[in-house]
Amino acid sequence: MMNESVVVSRKGEEGATVAVSGTGTGSIGESIVDSIKVPTASGSDIHGQQGQAGQRLRGSSVRKRSIGLRLLPWLAGALFLTLWQLRLFHQLFSLESYQLPVPSAIAASISENAEMLFRYAMYSGTEMLGGFLLGSLLGALAAAGASFFPTSGRAAVAVMSALNAVPIVALAPIMNNWFGDGIWSRIAVVAVITMAAMAVSLFKGLTSIQPQYSDLMGGLAASRMQVFVKLRWPHALPSLFAGLKINMSTSIIGAIVGEFFIASQGLGYLLSDQIRLANMPLAWSCIVIAAVLGIVLYEVVVLAEKRLIPWNRARTDP
């Protein structure tokens, strides 16, 4: 007798066992039974997989957008240099080649005078870093002292901020008169113009504590120094690095402008000297090297910020 049956049984939600009785003759015991494990997925697993796929898709989209945003400045810079090399700006502003050298001429000048430019860049970099560190330290000490007496300290910081209103061209001759024509006069110029920015930025960070945190420390009978070390200083670290980044950008200006007046070395001295000689490719080389020096040192500060206060990066990054 022909016997044909198919039995399908399911075990649980994770899979099913399929028992197949094939065609055969005689008793049921002669039938061939084969069990096959068929994987199945529950509804929650399907939703979970769909969610993971969506997250991967969104992550891929974010990475592509991030790469695009990172490449955009480089593409804009390449386009600017290309248009400059093609003399578009010469035509727009009616300039001659000796007035505005093309990028290839500037690059050739940098290559020919690489040793001298490197030596002068190191001299200007020393002035820049020396003034940057000294000015930032004095500004930070002033802000820290003012935070212990917020009422009078706010007035003192406001007076200190007035130093930013003093033009560098007026400050440089005075510093040369005080410290001579050596490197210390340019360091003093940079220190003065960076001190106020650090004091204002850090004082704001030290005093912008939410009242409940101050009340909590007061309830714990913490001293002023304990409040400063454990609450105000960690809270003010982003403001500290904001001041450092501002100072790094302005310190190269102070060093270069200070060398315009009395100096025998440095990129500012070489720049003013080559402008008088109408050697514009070398003069523009000084500008390029100064810009590169400033950008590199600025990125060093940004890298230090990311390493030392990573929580601020996670909070500010999009």
Side-chain angles (χ1 to χ4, degrees), residues 52 96 100-101 119-120 122 149 203 213 249 257 272 300 317:
Q52 292 176 359
E96 299 295 335
L100 180 61
R119 188 173 67 254
Y120 283 9
M122 291 298 101
F149 310 97
F203 179 76
Y213 296 149
S249 301
V257 173
S272 62
V300 170
D317 283 355

mmCIF file of all heavy atoms in Angstrom, residues 52 96 100-101 119-120 122 149 203 213 249 257 272 300 317:
data_model
loop_
_atom_site.group_PDB
_atom_site.id
_atom_site.type_symbol
_atom_site.label_atom_id
_atom_site.label_comp_id
_atom_site.label_asym_id
_atom_site.label_seq_id
_atom_site.Cartn_x
_atom_site.Cartn_y
_atom_site.Cartn_z
ATOM 1 N N GLN A 52 20.053 47.303 12.918
ATOM 2 C CA GLN A 52 21.501 47.318 12.704
ATOM 3 C C GLN A 52 21.846 47.729 11.282
ATOM 4 O O GLN A 52 22.802 48.472 11.052
ATOM 5 C CB GLN A 52 22.070 45.946 13.004
ATOM 6 C CG GLN A 52 22.011 45.558 14.482
ATOM 7 C CD GLN A 52 22.501 44.158 14.731
ATOM 8 O OE1 GLN A 52 22.880 43.467 13.787
ATOM 9 N NE2 GLN A 52 22.476 43.741 15.982
ATOM 10 N N GLU A 96 50.750 93.270 -12.226
ATOM 11 C CA GLU A 96 51.849 92.695 -12.996
ATOM 12 C C GLU A 96 52.463 91.543 -12.201
ATOM 13 O O GLU A 96 52.245 91.416 -10.987
ATOM 14 C CB GLU A 96 52.897 93.755 -13.295
ATOM 15 C CG GLU A 96 52.372 94.923 -14.109
ATOM 16 C CD GLU A 96 51.928 94.514 -15.514
ATOM 17 O OE1 GLU A 96 52.446 93.483 -16.010
ATOM 18 O OE2 GLU A 96 51.073 95.190 -16.096
ATOM 19 N N LEU A 100 52.529 90.617 -8.035
ATOM 20 C CA LEU A 100 51.924 89.410 -7.457
ATOM 21 C C LEU A 100 52.522 88.188 -8.152
ATOM 22 O O LEU A 100 52.034 87.747 -9.205
ATOM 23 C CB LEU A 100 50.398 89.426 -7.637
ATOM 24 C CG LEU A 100 49.645 88.207 -7.073
ATOM 25 C CD1 LEU A 100 49.846 88.095 -5.571
ATOM 26 C CD2 LEU A 100 48.162 88.303 -7.416
ATOM 27 N N PRO A 101 53.594 87.621 -7.585
ATOM 28 C CA PRO A 101 54.192 86.429 -8.207
ATOM 29 C C PRO A 101 53.213 85.256 -8.192
ATOM 30 O O PRO A 101 52.404 85.114 -7.271
ATOM 31 C CB PRO A 101 55.411 86.141 -7.329
ATOM 32 C CG PRO A 101 55.633 87.365 -6.528
ATOM 33 C CD PRO A 101 54.323 88.047 -6.376
ATOM 34 N N ARG A 119 66.253 79.012 8.705
ATOM 35 C CA ARG A 119 66.946 79.647 9.834
ATOM 36 C C ARG A 119 66.160 80.835 10.371
ATOM 37 O O ARG A 119 65.996 80.990 11.591
ATOM 38 C CB ARG A 119 68.347 80.088 9.372
ATOM 39 C CG ARG A 119 69.235 80.600 10.503
ATOM 40 C CD ARG A 119 70.641 80.850 10.051
ATOM 41 N NE ARG A 119 70.748 81.958 9.098
ATOM 42 C CZ ARG A 119 70.962 81.828 7.799
ATOM 43 N NH1 ARG A 119 71.120 80.614 7.290
ATOM 44 N NH2 ARG A 119 71.045 82.876 6.990
ATOM 45 N N TYR A 120 65.638 81.650 9.480
ATOM 46 C CA TYR A 120 64.850 82.807 9.917
ATOM 47 C C TYR A 120 63.516 82.377 10.524
ATOM 48 O O TYR A 120 62.992 83.041 11.430
ATOM 49 C CB TYR A 120 64.631 83.756 8.742
ATOM 50 C CG TYR A 120 65.842 84.599 8.403
ATOM 51 C CD1 TYR A 120 67.073 84.353 8.998
ATOM 52 C CD2 TYR A 120 65.753 85.638 7.491
ATOM 53 C CE1 TYR A 120 68.188 85.118 8.696
ATOM 54 C CE2 TYR A 120 66.853 86.424 7.180
ATOM 55 C CZ TYR A 120 68.073 86.144 7.786
ATOM 56 O OH TYR A 120 69.184 86.904 7.483
ATOM 57 N N MET A 122 63.022 79.658 12.245
ATOM 58 C CA MET A 122 63.310 79.210 13.603
ATOM 59 C C MET A 122 63.485 80.398 14.554
ATOM 60 O O MET A 122 63.046 80.352 15.714
ATOM 61 C CB MET A 122 64.579 78.350 13.598
ATOM 62 C CG MET A 122 64.422 77.012 12.910
ATOM 63 S SD MET A 122 63.181 75.922 13.705
ATOM 64 C CE MET A 122 61.769 76.170 12.588
ATOM 65 N N PHE A 149 38.572 86.685 43.819
ATOM 66 C CA PHE A 149 37.859 87.910 44.230
ATOM 67 C C PHE A 149 37.056 88.381 43.017
ATOM 68 O O PHE A 149 37.454 89.346 42.342
ATOM 69 C CB PHE A 149 38.850 88.980 44.691
ATOM 70 C CG PHE A 149 39.852 88.473 45.699
ATOM 71 C CD1 PHE A 149 41.122 88.070 45.294
ATOM 72 C CD2 PHE A 149 39.507 88.386 47.046
ATOM 73 C CE1 PHE A 149 42.035 87.602 46.212
ATOM 74 C CE2 PHE A 149 40.421 87.912 47.964
ATOM 75 C CZ PHE A 149 41.689 87.520 47.555
ATOM 76 N N PHE A 203 39.235 83.769 32.742
ATOM 77 C CA PHE A 203 38.427 84.302 33.841
ATOM 78 C C PHE A 203 36.951 83.978 33.629
ATOM 79 O O PHE A 203 36.226 83.642 34.580
ATOM 80 C CB PHE A 203 38.624 85.822 33.943
ATOM 81 C CG PHE A 203 37.824 86.460 35.036
ATOM 82 C CD1 PHE A 203 38.211 86.336 36.363
ATOM 83 C CD2 PHE A 203 36.674 87.184 34.742
ATOM 84 C CE1 PHE A 203 37.462 86.913 37.379
ATOM 85 C CE2 PHE A 203 35.929 87.771 35.742
ATOM 86 C CZ PHE A 203 36.318 87.643 37.072
ATOM 87 N N TYR A 213 26.475 73.850 41.766
ATOM 88 C CA TYR A 213 27.761 73.215 42.032
ATOM 89 C C TYR A 213 28.525 73.962 43.130
ATOM 90 O O TYR A 213 29.134 73.345 44.006
ATOM 91 C CB TYR A 213 28.597 73.179 40.758
ATOM 92 C CG TYR A 213 27.999 72.339 39.656
ATOM 93 C CD1 TYR A 213 28.190 72.644 38.318
ATOM 94 C CD2 TYR A 213 27.221 71.232 39.964
ATOM 95 C CE1 TYR A 213 27.622 71.872 37.311
ATOM 96 C CE2 TYR A 213 26.654 70.458 38.972
ATOM 97 C CZ TYR A 213 26.861 70.776 37.649
ATOM 98 O OH TYR A 213 26.304 70.013 36.666
ATOM 99 N N SER A 249 47.349 82.210 17.255
ATOM 100 C CA SER A 249 47.096 82.891 15.981
ATOM 101 C C SER A 249 47.651 84.305 15.972
ATOM 102 O O SER A 249 48.148 84.777 14.942
ATOM 103 C CB SER A 249 45.585 82.920 15.704
ATOM 104 O OG SER A 249 45.058 81.615 15.657
ATOM 105 N N VAL A 257 55.496 91.576 13.028
ATOM 106 C CA VAL A 257 55.427 93.044 13.036
ATOM 107 C C VAL A 257 56.552 93.629 13.885
ATOM 108 O O VAL A 257 57.140 94.655 13.529
ATOM 109 C CB VAL A 257 54.046 93.500 13.548
ATOM 110 C CG1 VAL A 257 54.004 95.015 13.720
ATOM 111 C CG2 VAL A 257 52.955 93.055 12.584
ATOM 112 N N SER A 272 60.464 92.647 5.103
ATOM 113 C CA SER A 272 60.580 94.102 4.860
ATOM 114 C C SER A 272 61.790 94.415 3.980
ATOM 115 O O SER A 272 61.737 95.310 3.119
ATOM 116 C CB SER A 272 60.677 94.837 6.196
ATOM 117 O OG SER A 272 61.843 94.436 6.905
ATOM 118 N N VAL A 300 49.084 72.086 16.749
ATOM 119 C CA VAL A 300 49.658 71.450 17.938
ATOM 120 C C VAL A 300 48.787 71.735 19.162
ATOM 121 O O VAL A 300 48.515 70.840 19.987
ATOM 122 C CB VAL A 300 51.100 71.955 18.167
ATOM 123 C CG1 VAL A 300 51.628 71.500 19.529
ATOM 124 C CG2 VAL A 300 52.021 71.434 17.065
ATOM 125 N N ASP A 317 31.960 68.430 18.906
ATOM 126 C CA ASP A 317 31.952 67.907 17.543
ATOM 127 C C ASP A 317 30.532 67.618 17.100
ATOM 128 O O ASP A 317 29.713 67.153 17.887
ATOM 129 C CB ASP A 317 32.774 66.617 17.471
ATOM 130 C CG ASP A 317 34.263 66.913 17.457
ATOM 131 O OD1 ASP A 317 34.615 68.103 17.412
ATOM 132 O OD2 ASP A 317 35.058 65.961 17.497
#
